[in-house]
Amino acid sequence: MTDEYGFDTRAVRAGQVRTHEGEHSEAIFPTSSYVFESAAQAAARFAGDEPGNIYSRFTNPTVRTFQDRLASLEEAESCVATSSGMAAILSTCMGLLKAGDHIVSSRAIFGSTTVLFNKYLAPFGVETSFVSQTDIGEWEQAIKPNTKLLFIETPSNPLTEIADIKALADLAHSKGCLLVVDNCFCTPALQQPLKLGADVVIHSGTKYIDGQGRCMGGAVVGNKDIVGEQVFGFLRTAGPTLSPFNAWVHLKGLETLSLRMKAHSANALELATWLESQSSVERVFYPGLASHPQHELAKQQQTGFGGVLAFEVKGGKKAAWSVVDNTQLISITANLGDTKSTITHPATTTHGRLTPEQRADAGIGDGMLRIAVGLEDIEDLKADLAKGL
Ligand SMILES: *Cc1c(COP(=O)(O)O)cnc(C)c1O
């Protein structure tokens, strides 16, 4: 359902297979195994001679509907759903890498991804070099003969730095590597990395795809060989499979994704603009602002600027905590991608385990706050922040 229909139509309808009951909304199939008509059919399924379900660690109809719908939205051949966003990143690495391989990654990636690379992949002989999100020269220098993957997340969290997907895809391909893009912050509603040349797209469905903070999930998207064979091969063996119920929540989330991402983006742009005019605010980080260093690049590769912004208040940690503690509406939680707005103080939460020097290198000041802007009335959000500012 890729060429024929527009994005919003595919978000609502792609991947649905109606059963003989004629249900209008997609069905949930809570079953761990499937029944065969005969010994011969069982043998043919196991041998791979006949397509069809065997066991839900491998395939499940509800999970397949979610996968087909997300593949259609990213305009990809294949999508493999996983139990979380981190399971998607782990499955990609396990499916594509072996001992002796090397990853070049942006430094500005999700904290657990850094830990996965440094603490859990390194002992198996996969080494990672970390480079600047925005300086292509650093990437070029870091690539070695054994480099297999380049890994980015754009916009980054919390500084919203933009990586140039097309330039990094071209660089990756000129060196025989694959480019993997964590597209969690934009979703295919705002950014389609495969169209810009990326090879693999990662999703934490937990965030905007669910969109209402209900359940965990993830996905890997790309071509048939890389995702449909290699990543799926690891997943069906090792088992970080998405549950049918979570797949159902996420496939229903896809139906409103494009509307929600537009609304998150509109609210975030207005809040960012308002914050920039506040005398107690030192600086605002949001790709939709003309003051953002990669505003032009963001306009080229994204169709909206997303729901996450960061800002630095004057007065360091004390002033930042006062803004957090004076909110009554905005939730104090590190999650993002929810209809409910959330606020965090990165220096003492998500980035609290870094040394002060590492935090300074990463550009995370003591006065910095991150807001994942939800879908509440924008005037209520401004009023909630105005108290502490
Ligand atoms: C949350 C997040 C992940 C991990 O997803 P989980 O579903 O929590 O495992 C990966 N990348 C980014 C950018 C995230 O925000």
Side-chain angles (χ1 to χ4, degrees):
M1 211 181 169
T2 294
D3 308 324
E4 213 178 328
Y5 294 105
F7 186 93
D8 291 344
T9 305
R10 286 180 275 129
V12 171
R13 293 189 176 267
Q16 182 170 20
V17 180
R18 204 161 279 149
T19 75
H20 64 279
E21 299 289 354
E23 72 282 356
H24 195 200
S25 175
E26 294 76 358
I28 308 178
F29 287 87
T31 182
S32 41
S33 71
Y34 303 84
V35 177
F36 309 112
E37 277 164 17
S38 63
Q41 187 183 50
R45 291 262 174 98
F46 272 84
D49 295 336
E50 177 190 303
N53 299 309
I54 297 174
Y55 189 52
S56 280
R57 174 154 35 84
F58 313 157
T59 59
N60 173 279
T62 315
V63 174
R64 188 183 311 115
T65 297
F66 169 66
Q67 292 176 160
D68 289 352
R69 189 166 292 180
L70 185 54
S72 172
L73 297 182
E74 290 281 11
E75 299 186 30
E77 287 174 2
S78 273
C79 171
V80 170
T82 56
S83 54
S84 68
M86 289 315 303
I89 298 173
L90 175 66
S91 301
T92 300
C93 293
M94 295 302 283
L96 301 179
L97 300 173
K98 60 179 190 315
D101 287 346
H102 176 243
I103 301 171
V104 180
S105 171
S106 165
R107 229 174 261 122
I109 56 170
F110 190 61
S112 296
T113 313
T114 311
V115 177
L116 177 69
F117 290 166
N118 280 340
K119 184 171 176 192
Y120 294 102
L121 289 184
F124 289 90
V126 174
E127 190 208 345
T128 305
S129 305
F130 291 93
V131 296
S132 150
Q133 170 95 335
T134 52
D135 181 349
I136 295 276
E138 268 192 45
W139 288 82
E140 215 165 342
Q141 282 189 343
I143 293 174
K144 304 196 268 190
N146 60 339
T147 305
K148 288 284 156 59
L149 294 186
L150 307 191
F151 190 98
I152 54 171
E153 176 188 318
T154 180
S156 72
N157 179 21
L159 289 174
T160 71
E161 285 181 317
I162 309 290
D164 188 333
I165 298 174
K166 185 167 186 312
L168 286 168
D170 289 346
L171 175 65
H173 300 153
S174 76
K175 306 280 187 182
C177 313
L178 301 176
L179 176 66
V180 180
V181 179
D182 183 332
N183 199 24
C184 169
F185 274 47
C186 277
T187 81
L190 302 184
Q191 174 170 274
Q192 292 166 304
L194 300 173
K195 278 195 183 166
L196 296 165
D199 302 284
V200 177
V201 166
I202 301 283
H203 283 289
S204 168
T206 318
K207 312 292 170 51
Y208 290 103
I209 289 177
D210 176 337
Q212 294 173 64
R214 296 165 296 194
C215 61
M216 308 292 298
V220 186
V221 191
N223 74 22
K224 270 203 188 86
D225 173 46
I226 295 171
V227 174
E229 297 288 333
Q230 300 184 64
V231 176
F232 177 62
F234 172 76
L235 183 107
R236 60 170 277 157
T237 308
T241 309
L242 185 63
S243 84
F245 177 76
N246 290 11
W248 182 81
V249 172
H250 288 189
L251 77 89
K252 297 310 277 182
L254 288 176
E255 296 183 4
T256 54
L257 182 66
S258 150
L259 282 174
R260 285 186 288 106
M261 293 315 291
K262 282 185 194 129
H264 281 293
S265 300
N267 258 4
L269 180 59
E270 185 158 347
L271 197 64
T273 307
W274 176 80
L275 283 166
E276 232 178 14
S277 73
Q278 300 300 301
S279 57
S280 49
V281 173
E282 189 83 51
R283 188 167 166 203
V284 183
F285 302 84
Y286 184 65
L289 294 174
S291 59
H292 190 284
Q294 294 106 33
H295 177 58
E296 288 307 317
L297 176 59
K299 280 206 288 199
Q300 278 167 32
Q301 66 184 26
Q302 300 174 210
T303 57
F305 303 109
V308 178
L309 61 83
F311 61 105
E312 182 94 35
V313 293
K314 293 174 186 161
K317 177 183 148 184
K318 190 160 173 285
W321 277 27
S322 167
V323 173
V324 172
D325 289 336
N326 275 293
T327 57
Q328 287 171 352
L329 187 65
I330 301 177
S331 314
I332 308 172
T333 169
N335 196 27
L336 63 99
D338 199 318
T339 49
K340 298 178 174 74
S341 296
T342 65
I343 189 163
T344 35
H345 182 242
T348 52
T349 59
T350 50
H351 296 69
R353 268 180 283 174
L354 302 182
T355 64
E357 294 74 41
Q358 285 171 324
R359 265 201 301 281
D361 277 350
I364 315 276
D366 287 343
M368 176 170 289
L369 292 167
R370 187 203 74 189
I371 298 186
V373 185
L375 303 183
E376 300 96 336
D377 283 303
I378 189 67
E379 294 308 324
D380 293 334
L381 296 178
K382 287 181 198 169
D384 206 39
L385 289 170
K387 288 180 220 128
L389 290 171

